């Protein structure tokens, strides 16, 4: 079976169309990847600037600016709750928040877990600072998992 001139032209046009579509998809995927990369960089930059501003507030709270312990506790819990909500909604980069506030947030949570429980009980609000608590529990689980993985590697 021989192909006619018309059918040869159709096959060559189809071949060019397929190559063109493949090239378009390749260029579009590079564009999307670059756009995603710049969005992640923007989120990290914004998170860093936000955390720097919030660190100034944290320093103010911890340097006895607030008149009593309860006011300091509420101010710090509000700060950490905002950070947790930002991480969960992906407005803030979790990596930057961990590097900036990770030890503060974990230590504060460990030291004030009972106070948080009592505050929820007194206000009859089980969801009070729940995002912060959930984030701390997730970080603790990850920390334990990494410890167990490291112990397996050393054997």
């Amino acid at each position: 079976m021989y192909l006619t001139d018309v059918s040869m032209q159709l096959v060559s046009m189809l071949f060019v169309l397929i190559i063109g579509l493949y090239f378009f998809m390749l260029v579009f995927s590079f564009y999307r990847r670059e756009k995603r990369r710049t969005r992640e960089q923007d989120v990290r930059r914004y998170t860093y600037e936000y955390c720097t501003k919030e660190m100034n507030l944290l320093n103010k709270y911890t340097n006895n600016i607030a008149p009593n312990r309860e006011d300091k506790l509420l101010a710090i819990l509000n700060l950490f709750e905002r950070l947790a909500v930002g991480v969960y909604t992906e407005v803030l980069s979790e990596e930057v928040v961990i590097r900036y506030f990770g030890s503060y947030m974990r230590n504060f949570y460990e030291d004030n877990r009972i106070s948080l429980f009592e505050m929820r009980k007194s206000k009859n609000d089980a969801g009070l600072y729940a995002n912060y608590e959930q984030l701390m529990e997730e970080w603790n689980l990850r920390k334990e998992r990494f410890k167990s993985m490291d112990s397996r590697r050393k054997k």
Side-chain angles (χ1 to χ4, degrees), residues 56-111:
N56 292 333
L57 287 174
L58 182 63
N59 288 334
K60 192 187 306 183
Y61 299 144
T62 55
N63 289 328
N64 297 325
I65 300 297
N68 60 27
R69 185 182 188 285
E70 187 175 330
D71 288 346
K72 283 192 250 183
L73 182 70
L74 288 174
I76 293 170
L77 282 171
N78 285 331
L79 165 66
F80 291 159
E81 180 73 4
R82 283 194 310 266
L83 291 170
V85 169
V87 166
Y88 282 128
T89 57
E90 297 179 358
V91 172
L92 299 176
S93 166
E94 183 176 10
E95 179 185 353
V96 175
V97 170
I98 287 173
R99 289 184 184 272
Y100 219 105
F101 285 103
S103 62
Y104 292 110
M105 292 174 82
R106 277 194 298 272
N107 292 336
F108 188 82
Y109 179 68
E110 293 300 323
D111 293 344

Side-chain angles (χ1 to χ4, degrees), residues 7-52:
S7 58
M8 284 296 285
Q9 286 177 346
L10 286 175
V11 168
S12 63
M13 286 175 36
L14 184 62
F15 181 73
V16 169
L17 180 65
I18 290 172
I19 296 295
L21 284 174
Y22 179 74
F23 181 73
F24 174 76
M25 288 174 31
L26 183 68
V27 169
F28 186 71
S29 69
F30 282 129
Y31 168 76
R32 295 283 296 173
R33 185 181 306 150
E34 187 61 33
K35 190 173 183 178
R36 193 174 326 122
R37 190 175 300 142
T38 57
R39 181 190 177 281
E40 290 169 0
Q41 289 171 344
D42 289 344
V43 168
R44 283 190 179 127
R45 186 177 304 115
Y46 171 76
T47 303
Y48 179 78
E49 291 168 1
Y50 181 79
C51 287
T52 302

